[in-house]
Amino acid sequence: MKKNFLLVNEIRNPENTIIINYGQSGKRNIAGGLAYTLEVTIQLLDAKTHNLIFQCSAEGMGSTEAEDIRIAVNRCLDSLQ
């Protein structure tokens, strides 16, 4: 929302709309299993054609799972700029 994306319940004008899919796509143990990173994947699709516009995956490692995901999402979206 800070990047001027709007959430909608219905796509009324697919010519001017993108679909964003996201989710946790992986978990990797590090340091001999003492810690782990979470991976997220984000896709942007053209709402009219469903063609892929952008896709990224990134890992995050923080002190909580929520922080892991926040770090991963921010890293992923940084590549969009």
Side-chain angles (χ1 to χ4, degrees):
M1 288 180 252
K2 288 177 88 173
K3 296 186 184 282
N4 296 318
F5 291 115
L6 300 174
L7 302 176
V8 297
N9 294 325
E10 179 182 346
I11 298 173
R12 295 187 182 156
N13 188 2
E15 293 80 17
N16 297 320
T17 305
I18 60 172
I19 299 169
I20 301 173
N21 297 316
Y22 63 94
Q24 181 180 327
S25 54
K27 184 175 184 178
R28 184 171 61 93
N29 288 323
I30 57 173
L34 297 175
Y36 63 89
T37 65
L38 289 180
E39 179 186 72
V40 299
T41 297
I42 298 173
Q43 291 182 329
L44 278 58
L45 305 171
D46 182 299
K48 184 175 181 181
T49 64
H50 289 225
N51 288 336
L52 184 64
I53 297 169
F54 173 81
Q55 179 176 324
C56 65
S57 294
E59 291 182 323
M61 185 176 142
S63 57
T64 65
E65 279 198 7
E67 190 173 340
D68 297 347
I69 292 169
R70 181 186 57 76
I71 291 167
V73 166
N74 285 333
R75 284 182 177 158
C76 200
L77 291 178
D78 281 347
S79 67
L80 182 59
Q81 296 177 3

